[in-house]
Coordinates of all heavy atoms in Angstrom, one line a residue:
Chain B
G257 N 5.1 42.5 -15.3 CA 6.4 42.2 -16.0 C 6.4 40.8 -16.4 O 5.4 40.0 -16.3
R258 N 7.6 40.4 -16.9 CA 7.7 39.1 -17.6 C 8.9 38.3 -17.1 O 9.9 38.9 -16.7 CB 7.8 39.2 -19.1 CG 6.5 39.7 -19.7 CD 6.6 39.6 -21.2 NE 7.7 40.4 -21.7 CZ 8.1 40.5 -23.0 NH1 7.4 39.8 -23.9 NH2 9.1 41.3 -23.4
I259 N 8.8 37.0 -17.1 CA 9.9 36.1 -16.9 C 9.9 35.2 -18.1 O 8.9 34.5 -18.4 CB 9.8 35.3 -15.6 CG1 9.8 36.2 -14.3 CG2 11.0 34.3 -15.5 CD1 9.7 35.5 -13.0
M260 N 11.0 35.2 -18.8 CA 11.1 34.4 -20.1 C 12.1 33.3 -19.9 O 13.2 33.5 -19.5 CB 11.5 35.3 -21.3 CG 10.9 36.6 -21.3 SD 9.3 36.6 -22.1 CE 9.8 36.5 -23.8
V261 N 11.6 32.1 -20.2 CA 12.5 30.9 -20.2 C 12.7 30.5 -21.7 O 11.7 30.2 -22.3 CB 12.0 29.8 -19.4 CG1 12.8 28.5 -19.5 CG2 11.9 30.2 -17.9
E262 N 13.9 30.6 -22.1 CA 14.2 30.3 -23.5 C 13.2 31.0 -24.5 O 12.7 30.5 -25.4 CB 14.1 28.8 -23.8 CG 15.1 28.0 -23.0 CD 16.6 28.2 -23.4 OE1 16.8 28.9 -24.3 OE2 17.4 27.6 -22.7
G263 N 13.0 32.3 -24.1 CA 12.1 33.1 -25.0 C 10.7 33.0 -24.8 O 9.9 33.6 -25.5
I264 N 10.2 32.1 -23.9 CA 8.8 32.0 -23.7 C 8.4 32.5 -22.3 O 9.0 32.2 -21.3 CB 8.4 30.5 -23.8 CG1 8.7 29.9 -25.2 CG2 6.9 30.3 -23.5 CD1 8.9 28.4 -25.3
D265 N 7.3 33.3 -22.3 CA 6.8 33.9 -21.1 C 6.2 32.8 -20.2 O 5.3 32.2 -20.7 CB 5.8 35.0 -21.5 CG 5.4 35.8 -20.2 OD1 5.8 35.4 -19.1 OD2 4.6 36.8 -20.4
I266 N 6.7 32.7 -19.0 CA 6.2 31.6 -18.2 C 4.8 31.9 -17.7 O 4.1 31.0 -17.2 CB 7.1 31.3 -17.0 CG1 7.2 32.5 -16.0 CG2 8.5 30.9 -17.4 CD1 7.7 32.2 -14.7
H267 N 4.3 33.1 -17.8 CA 3.0 33.4 -17.3 C 2.0 33.4 -18.4 O 0.8 33.7 -18.2 CB 3.0 34.8 -16.6 CG 3.7 34.7 -15.3 ND1 4.9 35.3 -15.1 CD2 3.3 34.2 -14.1 CE1 5.3 35.1 -13.8 NE2 4.4 34.4 -13.2
S268 N 2.4 33.1 -19.6 CA 1.4 33.2 -20.7 C 0.4 32.1 -20.5 O 0.7 31.0 -20.0 CB 2.2 33.0 -22.1 OG 2.3 31.6 -22.4
P269 N -0.9 32.4 -20.9 CA -2.0 31.5 -20.5 C -1.9 30.1 -21.1 O -2.4 29.2 -20.6 CB -3.2 32.3 -21.0 CG -2.7 33.3 -21.9 CD -1.3 33.6 -21.6
D270 N -1.2 30.0 -22.3 CA -1.2 28.6 -22.9 C -0.1 27.8 -22.5 O 0.2 26.7 -23.1 CB -1.3 28.8 -24.4 CG -0.2 29.7 -24.9 OD1 0.2 30.6 -24.1 OD2 0.2 29.6 -26.1
I271 N 0.6 28.2 -21.4 CA 1.8 27.4 -21.0 C 1.3 26.3 -20.0 O 0.4 26.5 -19.2 CB 2.9 28.2 -20.4 CG1 4.2 27.5 -20.4 CG2 2.6 28.6 -18.9 CD1 5.4 28.5 -20.5
D272 N 1.9 25.1 -20.1 CA 1.5 24.0 -19.2 C 2.4 24.2 -17.9 O 3.6 24.0 -18.0 CB 1.8 22.7 -19.9 CG 1.5 21.5 -19.0 OD1 1.3 21.7 -17.8 OD2 1.6 20.4 -19.5
V273 N 1.8 24.5 -16.8 CA 2.6 24.9 -15.6 C 3.4 23.6 -15.1 O 4.5 23.7 -14.7 CB 1.7 25.4 -14.5 CG1 2.6 25.9 -13.3 CG2 0.9 26.5 -15.0
S274 N 2.8 22.5 -15.2 CA 3.5 21.2 -14.8 C 4.7 21.0 -15.6 O 5.8 20.7 -15.1 CB 2.5 20.0 -14.9 OG 1.5 20.2 -14.0
E275 N 4.6 21.2 -16.9 CA 5.7 21.0 -17.8 C 6.8 22.1 -17.5 O 8.0 21.7 -17.5 CB 5.2 21.1 -19.3 CG 6.3 21.1 -20.3 CD 7.1 19.8 -20.4 OE1 6.7 18.8 -19.7 OE2 8.1 19.8 -21.0
L276 N 6.3 23.3 -17.3 CA 7.3 24.3 -16.9 C 8.1 24.0 -15.7 O 9.3 24.1 -15.6 CB 6.5 25.6 -16.7 CG 7.4 26.8 -16.2 CD1 8.0 27.5 -17.4 CD2 6.6 27.8 -15.4
R277 N 7.4 23.5 -14.7 CA 8.0 23.2 -13.4 C 9.0 22.0 -13.6 O 9.9 21.8 -12.9 CB 7.0 22.9 -12.3 CG 6.3 24.2 -11.9 CD 5.5 24.0 -10.6 NE 4.8 25.2 -10.3 CZ 3.5 25.2 -10.1 NH1 2.7 24.1 -10.3 NH2 2.9 26.3 -9.8
R278 N 8.6 21.1 -14.5 CA 9.5 20.0 -14.8 C 10.8 20.5 -15.4 O 11.9 20.1 -15.1 CB 8.9 19.0 -15.7 CG 9.7 17.7 -15.9 CD 9.4 16.9 -17.1 NE 9.5 17.7 -18.4 CZ 10.7 17.9 -19.0 NH1 11.8 17.6 -18.4 NH2 10.8 18.6 -20.1
R279 N 10.7 21.5 -16.3 CA 11.9 22.1 -16.9 C 12.7 22.9 -16.0 O 13.9 23.1 -16.2 CB 11.4 22.9 -18.1 CG 10.9 22.1 -19.3 CD 10.3 23.0 -20.4 NE 11.3 23.9 -20.9 CZ 11.0 25.0 -21.6 NH1 9.7 25.3 -21.8 NH2 11.9 25.9 -22.0
I280 N 12.1 23.5 -15.0 CA 12.8 24.3 -14.0 C 12.7 23.6 -12.7 O 11.7 23.6 -11.9 CB 12.1 25.7 -13.9 CG1 12.0 26.3 -15.3 CG2 12.9 26.6 -13.0 CD1 11.2 27.6 -15.3
G281 N 13.8 22.9 -12.3 CA 13.8 22.1 -11.0 C 14.0 23.1 -9.9 O 14.6 24.2 -10.1
M282 N 13.6 22.7 -8.7 CA 13.8 23.5 -7.6 C 14.2 22.7 -6.3 O 13.6 21.7 -6.1 CB 12.5 24.3 -7.3 CG 12.6 25.2 -6.0 SD 12.0 26.8 -6.3 CE 12.4 27.6 -4.8
V283 N 15.2 23.2 -5.6 CA 15.7 22.5 -4.4 C 15.5 23.5 -3.3 O 15.9 24.7 -3.4 CB 17.1 22.1 -4.5 CG1 17.7 21.5 -3.2 CG2 17.2 21.0 -5.6
F284 N 14.9 23.1 -2.2 CA 14.6 24.0 -1.1 C 15.6 24.0 0.0 O 16.5 23.2 0.1 CB 13.2 23.7 -0.6 CG 12.1 23.7 -1.6 CD1 11.9 22.7 -2.4 CD2 11.4 24.9 -1.7 CE1 10.9 22.8 -3.4 CE2 10.4 25.0 -2.7 CZ 10.1 23.9 -3.5
Q285 N 15.4 25.0 0.9 CA 16.3 25.2 2.0 C 16.5 23.9 2.9 O 17.6 23.5 3.1 CB 15.8 26.4 2.8 CG 16.8 26.7 4.0 CD 16.3 28.0 4.6 OE1 15.3 28.6 4.2 NE2 17.0 28.5 5.6
T286 N 15.3 23.4 3.4 CA 15.4 22.2 4.2 C 15.1 21.0 3.2 O 14.2 21.1 2.4 CB 14.3 22.2 5.3 OG1 13.2 22.8 4.8 CG2 14.8 23.0 6.5
P287 N 15.9 20.0 3.4 CA 15.7 18.8 2.5 C 14.3 18.3 2.7 O 13.8 18.2 3.8 CB 16.7 17.8 3.1 CG 17.7 18.6 3.8 CD 17.0 19.8 4.4
N288 N 13.6 18.0 1.6 CA 12.2 17.6 1.7 C 12.0 16.3 0.9 O 11.2 16.2 0.1 CB 11.3 18.6 1.2 CG 11.5 19.1 -0.2 OD1 12.5 18.7 -0.8 ND2 10.6 19.8 -0.8
P289 N 12.8 15.2 1.3 CA 12.5 14.0 0.6 C 11.1 13.5 1.0 O 10.6 13.8 2.1 CB 13.5 13.0 1.2 CG 14.0 13.6 2.4 CD 13.8 15.1 2.3
F290 N 10.4 12.8 0.1 CA 9.1 12.3 0.3 C 9.2 11.1 1.2 O 10.2 10.4 1.2 CB 8.4 11.9 -1.0 CG 8.2 13.1 -1.9 CD1 8.5 13.0 -3.3 CD2 7.9 14.3 -1.5 CE1 8.4 14.0 -4.1 CE2 7.7 15.4 -2.3 CZ 8.0 15.3 -3.7
P291 N 8.1 10.8 2.0 CA 8.1 9.6 2.9 C 8.0 8.3 2.1 O 7.0 7.6 2.2 CB 6.9 9.9 3.8 CG 6.0 10.7 3.0 CD 6.9 11.6 2.1
M292 N 9.0 8.0 1.3 CA 9.0 6.8 0.6 C 10.4 6.3 0.4 O 11.3 7.0 0.9 CB 8.2 6.9 -0.8 CG 8.5 8.2 -1.5 SD 7.6 8.4 -3.0 CE 6.2 9.4 -2.6
S293 N 10.6 5.3 -0.4 CA 12.0 4.8 -0.5 C 12.9 5.8 -1.3 O 12.3 6.6 -2.0 CB 12.0 3.4 -1.1 OG 11.6 3.5 -2.4
I294 N 14.2 5.6 -1.2 CA 15.1 6.4 -2.0 C 14.8 6.2 -3.5 O 14.7 7.2 -4.2 CB 16.6 5.9 -1.7 CG1 16.9 6.2 -0.2 CG2 17.5 6.6 -2.6 CD1 18.1 5.5 0.3
Y295 N 14.6 5.0 -3.9 CA 14.2 4.7 -5.3 C 13.0 5.5 -5.7 O 13.0 6.2 -6.7 CB 14.1 3.2 -5.5 CG 13.7 2.8 -6.9 CD1 14.8 2.4 -7.7 CD2 12.4 2.8 -7.3 CE1 14.5 2.0 -9.0 CE2 12.2 2.4 -8.6 CZ 13.2 2.0 -9.4 OH 12.9 1.6 -10.7
E296 N 11.9 5.4 -4.9 CA 10.7 6.0 -5.2 C 10.7 7.5 -5.2 O 10.1 8.2 -6.0 CB 9.5 5.5 -4.3 CG 9.0 4.1 -4.5 CD 8.5 4.0 -6.0 OE1 7.9 4.9 -6.5 OE2 8.8 2.9 -6.6
N297 N 11.6 8.0 -4.4 CA 11.8 9.5 -4.4 C 12.3 10.0 -5.8 O 11.8 10.9 -6.3 CB 12.8 9.9 -3.3 CG 12.1 10.4 -2.1 OD1 11.7 11.6 -2.1 ND2 12.0 9.6 -1.1
V298 N 13.3 9.3 -6.3 CA 13.9 9.7 -7.5 C 12.9 9.3 -8.7 O 12.8 10.1 -9.7 CB 15.2 9.0 -7.8 CG1 15.9 9.5 -9.0 CG2 16.1 9.2 -6.5
A299 N 12.1 8.3 -8.5 CA 11.2 7.9 -9.6 C 10.0 8.7 -9.6 O 9.2 8.7 -10.6 CB 10.8 6.4 -9.4
F300 N 9.8 9.6 -8.5 CA 8.5 10.3 -8.4 C 8.2 11.1 -9.6 O 7.1 11.0 -10.2 CB 8.6 11.2 -7.2 CG 7.3 11.9 -6.8 CD1 6.3 11.2 -6.1 CD2 7.0 13.2 -7.3 CE1 5.1 11.8 -5.8 CE2 5.8 13.8 -7.0 CZ 4.9 13.1 -6.3
G301 N 9.2 11.9 -10.1 CA 8.9 12.8 -11.2 C 8.7 12.0 -12.5 O 7.9 12.4 -13.3
L302 N 9.4 10.9 -12.6 CA 9.2 10.0 -13.8 C 7.9 9.5 -13.8 O 7.2 9.4 -14.9 CB 10.3 8.9 -13.8 CG 11.7 9.3 -13.9 CD1 12.6 8.1 -13.7 CD2 12.0 10.0 -15.2
R303 N 7.4 9.0 -12.7 CA 6.1 8.4 -12.7 C 5.0 9.4 -13.0 O 4.0 9.1 -13.6 CB 5.8 7.8 -11.3 CG 6.6 6.6 -10.9 CD 6.0 5.9 -9.8 NE 7.0 4.9 -9.2 CZ 7.2 3.7 -9.7 NH1 6.6 3.3 -10.8 NH2 8.1 2.9 -9.1
L304 N 5.2 10.7 -12.6 CA 4.2 11.7 -13.0 C 4.1 11.9 -14.5 O 3.0 12.2 -15.0 CB 4.7 13.1 -12.4 CG 4.6 13.3 -10.9 CD1 5.1 14.6 -10.5 CD2 3.1 13.1 -10.4
Q305 N 5.2 11.6 -15.2 CA 5.2 11.8 -16.6 C 4.6 10.6 -17.3 O 4.5 10.6 -18.6 CB 6.6 12.0 -17.2 CG 7.1 13.4 -16.7 CD 8.6 13.5 -17.1 OE1 9.1 12.9 -18.0 NE2 9.3 14.3 -16.3
G306 N 4.2 9.6 -16.6 CA 3.6 8.4 -17.2 C 4.5 7.2 -17.1 O 5.5 7.3 -16.4
R307 N 4.1 6.2 -17.8 CA 4.8 4.9 -17.6 C 6.2 5.0 -18.3 O 6.3 5.4 -19.5 CB 4.0 3.8 -18.2 CG 2.7 3.6 -17.4 CD 2.0 2.3 -17.9 NE 2.8 1.1 -17.6 CZ 2.9 0.5 -16.4 NH1 2.1 1.0 -15.4 NH2 3.6 -0.5 -16.2
T308 N 7.2 4.5 -17.6 CA 8.5 4.4 -18.2 C 8.8 2.9 -18.0 O 8.5 2.4 -16.9 CB 9.5 5.2 -17.5 OG1 8.9 6.5 -17.2 CG2 10.8 5.4 -18.3
A309 N 9.5 2.3 -18.9 CA 9.9 0.9 -18.8 C 10.8 0.8 -17.6 O 11.6 1.7 -17.3 CB 10.6 0.4 -20.0
K310 N 10.7 -0.3 -16.8 CA 11.4 -0.4 -15.6 C 12.9 -0.3 -15.8 O 13.7 0.4 -15.1 CB 11.1 -1.7 -14.8 CG 11.7 -1.7 -13.5 CD 11.4 -3.0 -12.7 CE 11.9 -3.0 -11.3 NZ 13.3 -2.5 -11.2

Side-chain angles (χ1 to χ4, degrees):
Chain B
R258 290 189 301 177
I259 297 177
M260 315 276 280
V261 174
E262 301 290 359
I264 299 160
D265 186 354
I266 63 165
H267 291 103
S268 88
D270 50 333
I271 203 153
D272 177 354
V273 187
S274 293
E275 172 62 13
L276 173 84
R277 291 192 182 123
R278 187 200 59 75
R279 287 172 58 196
I280 307 176
M282 177 130 185
V283 174
F284 298 84
Q285 183 172 359
T286 37
N288 59 348
F290 300 135
M292 39 181 97
S293 70
I294 295 167
Y295 181 93
E296 284 303 320
N297 260 281
V298 187
F300 187 84
L302 296 174
R303 291 196 196 278
L304 288 178
Q305 290 172 25
R307 295 187 64 83
T308 320
K310 187 177 183 320

